[in-house]
Amino acid sequence: MKPFILLLKIQLLGLFGINKTLHADPAKARRTLALAALAVAAIVLFAAAYSSGLVQIGLAEAVPLVAVLVGAIAGAVAAFLKTNGVLFGFKDYDLVMSLPVPTSSVVLSRIASLYAMSLLFGVLVMVPAFAVYASAAGVSAVGVACMALSIVLAPLLPLAAAVVLAVLIAAVSSRFKHANVAVIVLTLAATLAAVFGSFALSGQSDDLAALSALGAQLTGQLAAIFPPAAWATAGIVQGDLVQFAAFAAVNIAAAAA
């Protein structure tokens, strides 16, 4: 356990640029921290404003669904883009693998760092959205517990899918002469496919501008994109612990696999 914790600490310091910032010149460190704070504030404000907009047009119950969906998938996409250099193709491979620690600790520490990145995105998006929903609709104690657990659990399934996709891309690209270029191209292609696929799904509605008329139709479309988000929403909104347990089980099973 100790080797895993030490390796995870190193990964987190490197992944978020904390170590580099701490050892940079003071002026550069202040600029970096200021930019990071602005980015965090922008994400939080946008999530809160978007959620407030949904509440104002009568779609308050869609807020938890959107929060879980966006928080989970956005974090997984960010982690997926970092897999090349964290899971594959890292420059200190020989040094790391020569350390007197189990290979499993090396692998798990790097996957855990990607989960931490996904969790950070989830917190920034889901917490303000949940706060807006709770203030507008009211939430039971069970709902609050489901909110807290969904923040921790939501990134697991998309992250597992992202890691599997990264493994496939690395396996395919390793057969090319210029492996790094192949990884970049395949990663970009997969990201663009996901983005345009989401546009295609959202475009199935007859009139996206008339959000006030969508109601249950919008909720159904979002649930169809990522059913576990609907299960989490059932726990938050209705206190349905059976569906929330299914949400938790799917995410934990994916992470374990």
Side-chain angles (χ1 to χ4, degrees):
M1 181 58 72
K2 186 176 180 180
F4 167 76
I5 294 175
L6 292 175
L7 289 170
L8 178 59
K9 179 182 177 181
I10 294 172
Q11 281 299 307
L12 292 177
L13 289 175
L15 189 64
F16 294 110
I18 299 173
N19 197 41
K20 185 177 181 180
T21 301
L22 290 175
H23 293 86
D25 60 275
K28 185 177 180 180
R30 285 194 296 271
R31 289 195 299 270
T32 302
L33 291 174
L35 289 174
L38 286 174
V40 168
I43 294 173
V44 171
L45 289 174
F46 179 80
Y50 187 82
S51 301
S52 298
L54 289 177
V55 171
Q56 290 174 3
I57 61 175
L59 297 175
E61 291 190 359
V63 172
L65 184 70
V66 174
V68 174
L69 179 65
V70 175
I73 295 180
V77 169
F80 169 71
L81 295 175
K82 292 289 292 183
T83 51
N84 186 32
V86 176
L87 294 183
F88 310 106
F90 47 98
K91 298 178 181 179
D92 56 349
Y93 175 83
D94 293 332
L95 175 62
V96 172
M97 299 309 295
S98 66
L99 295 174
V101 296
T103 302
S104 59
S105 295
V106 176
V107 175
L108 289 176
S109 67
R110 289 173 178 267
I111 293 179
S113 67
L114 294 177
Y115 168 73
M117 172 176 280
S118 297
L119 183 61
L120 175 62
F121 275 87
V123 168
L124 295 180
V125 174
M126 296 168 72
V127 169
F130 286 157
V132 170
Y133 172 75
S135 63
V139 185
S140 64
V142 173
V144 172
C146 289
M147 283 181 180
L149 289 174
S150 65
I151 295 174
V152 178
L153 295 172
L156 293 177
L157 177 57
L159 178 60
V163 169
V164 171
L165 182 58
V167 170
L168 295 176
I169 289 176
V172 171
S173 63
S174 66
R175 300 177 181 275
F176 291 90
K177 182 178 180 180
H178 301 287
N180 289 334
V181 175
V183 168
I184 293 173
V185 171
L186 290 173
T187 300
L188 180 61
T191 304
L192 290 175
V195 171
F196 285 112
S198 64
F199 285 158
L201 286 170
S202 62
Q204 291 175 0
S205 175
D206 293 330
D207 186 6
L208 290 178
L211 289 178
S212 59
L214 290 178
Q217 180 184 358
L218 174 62
T219 303
Q221 287 182 344
L222 293 175
I225 294 173
F226 191 55
W231 305 338
T233 302
I236 295 169
V237 176
Q238 305 166 13
D240 189 334
L241 294 181
V242 174
Q243 290 196 56
F244 191 86
F247 163 76
V250 166
N251 280 277
I252 293 174

